[in-house]
Amino acid sequence: MRFGTKAIHAGLEPDPGTGAVMTPIFQTSTYAQAAPGQHKGYEYSRTHNPTRTALQRNLATLENGTHGLCFATGMAAIDAVIKLLQPDDHVVSTNDLYGGTYRLFTKIFAGFGVRFSFVDMTDTDQVEAAMRPETKLIWAETPTNPLLRVVDIAALAAIAKANNCLLAVDNTFATPYLQTPLDLGADIVMHSLTKYMAGHSDVVMGALVVKDPSTGSGSLAERLAFVQNSSGATPGPMDCFLVLRGIKTLHLRMERHCANGKAVAEYLKGHPLVDRVHWPGFTDHPGHAVAARQMRGFGGMVSFTLKGDRMEDALRVLSNTELFTLAESLGGVESLIGHPASMTHASIPREDRLRNGLLDTLIRLSVGIEDVEDLIADLERALAR
Ligand SMILES: *Cc1c(COP(=O)(O)O)cnc(C)c1O
């Protein structure tokens, strides 16, 4: 089966009780037992819920994995992975990490004794140099936010294998339509389903997918399911239904996000007030060769800086778009515009931000699936003011 067919059908069957074609929202906390311990695989909805099961199976298929696990948020999914570790275990991650992940690692888990190193993962030599005997996990993200840097997943997988540790990849920006890290050797894929997967800016949820054919309590899937149930950050059935519905059009939406992202990136590149445009589809993007190898398209995230490096110029553009809504988040059908320096990355000290290439005039676009002529006209107007 190809991707679009899987997106619509995988894991889903008409409801055996009623024939309902759409997966019902099983809004129930508990399930009747015929005799003590005699049930149909469902006892209590923190542990299992049929709407969630359908979504988890669908996600496992799309990522070419064996098991999917859903969580109340993307952060809860990441939290579950780190809970596989013990004090003094070590994690190698990127210095270009999603801000919430960096906060979880350094402000919560560092306090429980888990050790973290942050390196420039676009340089795999730095990853190799950071590995220690107690390194249990490499945590990667690609493309990154907001500079769209690209990390070589297969190269990281080789380092993880050689050092007998796990590789987890945050695949939120790419989605399985554009990139399947498990096929490249990763052990765990993580998603903020909140973004492209659900795709309509109406739900917050996270997921993990693993490829682990082994079964029993020692398998990766079972260990993560144990954390999922024990920590209890599971999503409700209504939200699972919304994500299932969103995923049915993922392939169509991603095609348009990619086409619109390309058109907007090219338009900005030719604009006299724009300095640099970050989009991995450009052949002069430093990660282009790796992106072309490991991705099936370059996505709808575009960021750019303005000439002159005056923050007030950027703020003027941000307040003058009409179709691009000024907001956090990304990946919905509607276009969004954001200012990392004062929004998503405001908690990072300015010197650290600048060192990492996050200039004051950097503007991030989540290019939606509207008619691209209207999006470009909106940017044209905002840049002219
Ligand atoms: C949004 C996001 C997260 C966190 O997900 P939530 O659903 O907001 O908890 C993690 N990683 C990336 C890359 C994200 O964009």
Side-chain angles (χ1 to χ4, degrees):
M1 261 195 283
R2 287 164 201 253
F3 191 93
T5 311
K6 289 196 283 191
I8 293 169
H9 293 287
L12 312 178
E13 285 155 18
D15 177 52
T18 61
V21 170
M22 285 302 125
T23 309
I25 301 164
F26 284 91
Q27 195 74 51
T28 185
S29 62
T30 189
Y31 306 82
Q33 304 196 2
Q38 220 184 86
H39 53 76
K40 299 175 175 167
Y42 294 94
E43 294 167 273
Y44 185 60
S45 279
R46 168 159 38 75
T47 321
H48 297 109
N49 174 281
T51 317
R52 196 174 96 210
T53 302
L55 174 57
Q56 292 182 156
R57 288 188 178 146
N58 181 267
L59 290 168
T61 305
L62 294 185
E63 285 287 3
N64 296 330
T66 52
H67 299 80
L69 298 127
C70 288
F71 295 84
T73 66
M75 292 318 305
I78 302 170
D79 177 271
V81 175
I82 308 301
K83 282 176 177 161
L84 296 176
L85 306 181
Q86 303 287 323
D88 296 329
D89 283 350
H90 176 242
V91 179
V92 175
S93 191
T94 159
N95 57 13
D96 199 16
L97 201 54
Y98 175 74
T101 310
Y102 183 76
R103 181 174 59 194
L104 179 70
F105 288 178
T106 57
K107 298 278 187 327
I108 307 272
F109 282 109
F112 293 132
V114 180
R115 312 277 163 82
F116 296 90
S117 298
F118 299 96
V119 300
D120 176 0
M121 278 197 167
T122 61
D123 176 6
T124 39
D125 289 347
Q126 288 194 28
V127 178
E128 201 130 33
M131 300 301 289
R132 303 180 195 161
E134 63 275 20
T135 307
K136 296 287 166 59
L137 175 70
I138 299 176
W139 183 275
E141 200 180 306
T142 183
T144 66
N145 177 31
L147 290 169
L148 289 316
R149 292 195 174 118
V150 177
V151 172
D152 187 337
I153 298 171
L156 291 186
I159 297 173
K161 293 261 153 5
N163 288 273
N164 199 21
C165 83
L166 295 172
L167 169 64
V169 177
D170 182 337
N171 204 28
T172 300
F173 268 42
T175 82
Y177 185 69
L178 298 182
Q179 172 174 287
T180 33
L182 298 177
D183 293 338
L184 301 167
D187 302 285
I188 303 173
V189 168
M190 175 264 157
H191 277 284
S192 170
L193 299 172
T194 314
K195 316 292 169 52
Y196 286 108
M197 298 294 277
H200 295 73
S201 306
D202 51 9
V203 64
V204 176
M205 201 188 296
L208 301 173
V209 179
V210 302
K211 185 170 173 174
D212 180 5
S214 69
T215 51
S217 59
S219 77
L220 187 55
E222 281 304 315
R223 284 158 64 209
L224 287 167
F226 184 80
V227 177
Q228 181 194 37
N229 184 46
S230 304
S231 286
T234 49
M238 175 73 200
D239 286 354
C240 292
F241 172 85
L242 286 172
V243 176
L244 272 172
R245 182 156 93 157
I247 286 175
K248 287 178 201 289
T249 56
L250 178 64
H251 50 304
L252 299 178
R253 288 186 286 108
M254 290 312 291
E255 282 295 326
R256 182 65 91 90
H257 281 297
C258 288
N260 284 2
K262 179 173 194 284
V264 165
E266 283 170 352
Y267 161 76
L268 289 169
K269 204 169 198 186
H271 197 286
L273 297 178
V274 171
D275 188 18
R276 292 191 58 192
V277 183
H278 304 278
W279 182 66
F282 287 134
T283 50
D284 61 355
H285 182 286
H288 178 74
V290 176
R293 196 163 64 232
Q294 72 187 13
M295 299 177 74
R296 291 176 280 270
F298 301 106
M301 298 302 296
V302 178
S303 64
F304 64 102
T305 52
L306 298 175
K307 286 188 181 143
D309 205 27
R310 282 182 304 270
M311 165 124 57
E312 60 272 22
D313 291 345
L315 297 179
R316 201 170 310 117
V317 174
L318 287 148
S319 348
N320 276 313
T321 54
E322 285 164 20
L323 282 174
F324 280 88
T325 305
L326 180 59
E328 308 231 353
S329 199
L330 61 109
V333 291
E334 66 289 309
S335 293
L336 300 180
I337 189 166
H339 185 232
S342 64
M343 295 166 73
T344 44
H345 293 64
S347 61
I348 303 172
R350 184 159 183 272
E351 284 68 52
D352 294 355
R353 255 195 285 120
L354 294 181
R355 197 167 337 110
N356 209 4
L358 262 152
L359 305 185
D360 289 338
T361 62
L362 184 74
I363 294 173
R364 188 190 81 175
L365 303 176
S366 172
V367 181
I369 63 171
E370 300 95 334
D371 289 302
V372 75
E373 297 81 358
D374 293 329
L375 297 179
I376 288 174
D378 192 33
L379 292 170
E380 178 95 33
R381 261 192 317 271
L383 283 161
R385 283 190 199 160

